[in-house]
């Protein structure tokens, strides 16, 4: 599975917002960018995309920023990836060969099954689970 920098940054931003879910205060883009060494200009574009998808909300002003609209338990890694990457199509898992041979058809079926299994697995991973995993690496960085 190839993950673009944009998708990785989006997941990092959502994980950061998830760590502050329920705090009542929005998180500033520059704080997220500084904490994770993500370019803030790029992060703004990503957060606007997530906002357009209804995953985050923004607050304007000096004390503005972004917040998750759903709890980390209710938001999956797969949802965020699909917002950024789009929903995979059958063409995405096609082989390079355009042949109609039985071998190509068999491979195409396997690629489609792998893609479905991957999407299913990503939808089963919540940001609450990712927060717990992140805690094992740094007890002070993430909190719920």
């Amino acid at each position: 599975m190839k993950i673009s920098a944009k998708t990785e940054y989006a997941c990092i931003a959502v994980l950061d917002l998830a760590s502050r879910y329920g705090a009542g205060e929005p998180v500033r883009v520059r704080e997220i960018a500084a904490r994770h060494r993500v370019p803030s200009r790029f992060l703004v574009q990503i957060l606007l995309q997530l906002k357009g998808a209804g995953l985050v909300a923004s607050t304007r002003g000096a004390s503005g920023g972004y917040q998750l609209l759903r709890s980390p338990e209710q938001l999956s890694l797969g949802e965020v990836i699909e917002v950024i990457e789009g929903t995979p199509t059958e063409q995405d898992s096609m082989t390079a060969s355009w042949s109609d041979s039985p071998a190509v058809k068999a491979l195409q079926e396997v690629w489609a099954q792998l893609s479905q299994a991957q999407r299913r697995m990503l939808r089963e991973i919540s940001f609450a689970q990712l927060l717990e995993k992140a805690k094992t690496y740094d007890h002070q960085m993430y909190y719920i």
Side-chain angles (χ1 to χ4, degrees):
M1 174 176 184
K2 292 183 181 178
I3 299 291
S4 68
K6 183 177 182 181
T7 299
E8 187 168 348
Y9 293 161
C11 293
I12 288 167
V14 171
L15 191 56
D16 194 280
L17 294 175
S19 72
R20 288 156 179 76
Y21 182 78
E25 293 181 14
V27 182
R28 293 184 178 147
V29 173
R30 67 176 163 226
E31 292 174 12
I32 298 170
R35 241 187 317 276
H36 303 286
R37 297 183 193 141
V38 175
S40 61
R41 295 183 117 190
F42 196 28
L43 193 56
V44 168
Q45 295 171 5
I46 292 167
L47 286 164
L48 287 173
Q49 193 172 351
L50 294 170
K51 179 183 176 185
L55 300 182
V56 301
S58 65
T59 305
R60 290 182 167 196
S63 61
Y66 287 86
Q67 293 177 298
L68 284 184
L69 287 175
R70 288 189 277 161
S71 73
E73 292 82 11
Q74 296 173 331
L75 184 58
S76 77
L77 185 57
E79 288 178 88
V80 172
I81 291 172
E82 284 188 13
V83 166
I84 303 301
E85 299 287 331
T87 305
T89 64
E90 196 172 306
Q91 290 292 333
D92 294 340
S93 62
M94 297 294 261
T95 62
S97 173
W98 294 101
S99 170
D100 235 4
S101 76
V104 169
K105 288 181 179 180
L107 285 170
Q108 287 174 345
E109 183 180 334
V110 170
W111 303 155
Q113 290 170 345
L114 285 169
S115 181
Q116 290 171 1
Q118 179 180 352
R119 284 193 307 274
R120 188 173 39 253
M121 183 179 176
L122 290 171
R123 282 192 301 263
E124 292 173 359
I125 301 169
S126 74
F127 276 87
Q129 291 170 313
L130 288 171
L131 280 173
E132 287 302 314
K133 188 175 285 284
K135 284 180 184 179
T136 65
Y137 294 104
D138 185 355
H139 297 290
Q140 298 171 352
M141 183 176 210
Y142 291 100
Y143 55 91
I144 296 179

